Amino acid sequence: SAVVAGDHGQLAQVLRNLVDNALKYGAPEGKVIITIDLTDSGWFSLCVKDEGEGIPPEHLPRLTERFYRADAGRSRQVGGTGLGLSIVKHIVERHRGRFDISSRSGEGTTATVILPCPSK
């Protein structure tokens, strides 16, 4: 088991934002898969994967910018502020962690948060 030190409310917001995005942008009848693991190096890893259409590679580097939309039309349809992923990145970095988004066209998107675990 692993313990992550941090602000409970902020870390819960990270999970909420990632799951909300996966539900909004994933396939309508697709699954959202959440995996929690402890890496070989002793870090906590949380992955949220959807089965949506994926994100074109040219958009990936900018997804955590405030108000950036990979698909502005679809974003208007599903709602949201355009701040979700920028908030996730900010919170994760405040907790000395890393945030990554990977995606392949037609295969969905995976958002990964890696946070340090205090030594026992």
Side-chain angles (χ1 to χ4, degrees):
S1 81
V3 175
V4 174
D7 182 283
H8 178 270
Q10 289 181 4
L11 293 174
Q13 183 175 10
V14 165
L15 180 59
R16 266 193 315 274
N17 286 5
L18 294 179
V19 171
D20 283 349
N21 268 12
L23 292 170
K24 284 180 192 178
Y25 298 107
E29 301 300 320
K31 297 176 188 171
V32 172
I33 301 164
I34 301 169
T35 26
I36 299 171
D37 205 356
L38 192 59
T39 69
D40 292 338
S41 57
W43 287 58
F44 172 86
S45 171
L46 165 74
C47 294
V48 178
K49 182 180 183 347
D50 68 54
E51 295 180 337
E53 59 192 52
I55 301 166
E58 64 270 18
H59 293 288
L60 291 175
R62 299 193 59 201
L63 286 178
T64 57
E65 292 178 15
R66 294 175 59 178
F67 307 114
Y68 184 81
R69 307 282 192 159
D71 182 345
R74 185 155 182 215
S75 293
R76 278 191 292 278
Q77 290 174 353
V78 297
T81 62
L83 293 172
L85 293 179
S86 66
I87 290 170
V88 166
K89 181 180 179 187
H90 175 75
I91 291 171
V92 169
E93 287 178 351
R94 283 190 65 209
H95 287 80
R96 298 180 330 277
R98 293 189 324 249
F99 178 54
D100 183 55
I101 302 168
S102 61
S103 188
R104 293 183 97 144
S105 186
E107 294 183 23
T109 301
T110 301
T112 303
V113 171
I114 298 181
L115 297 168
C117 296
S119 301
K120 294 183 180 183

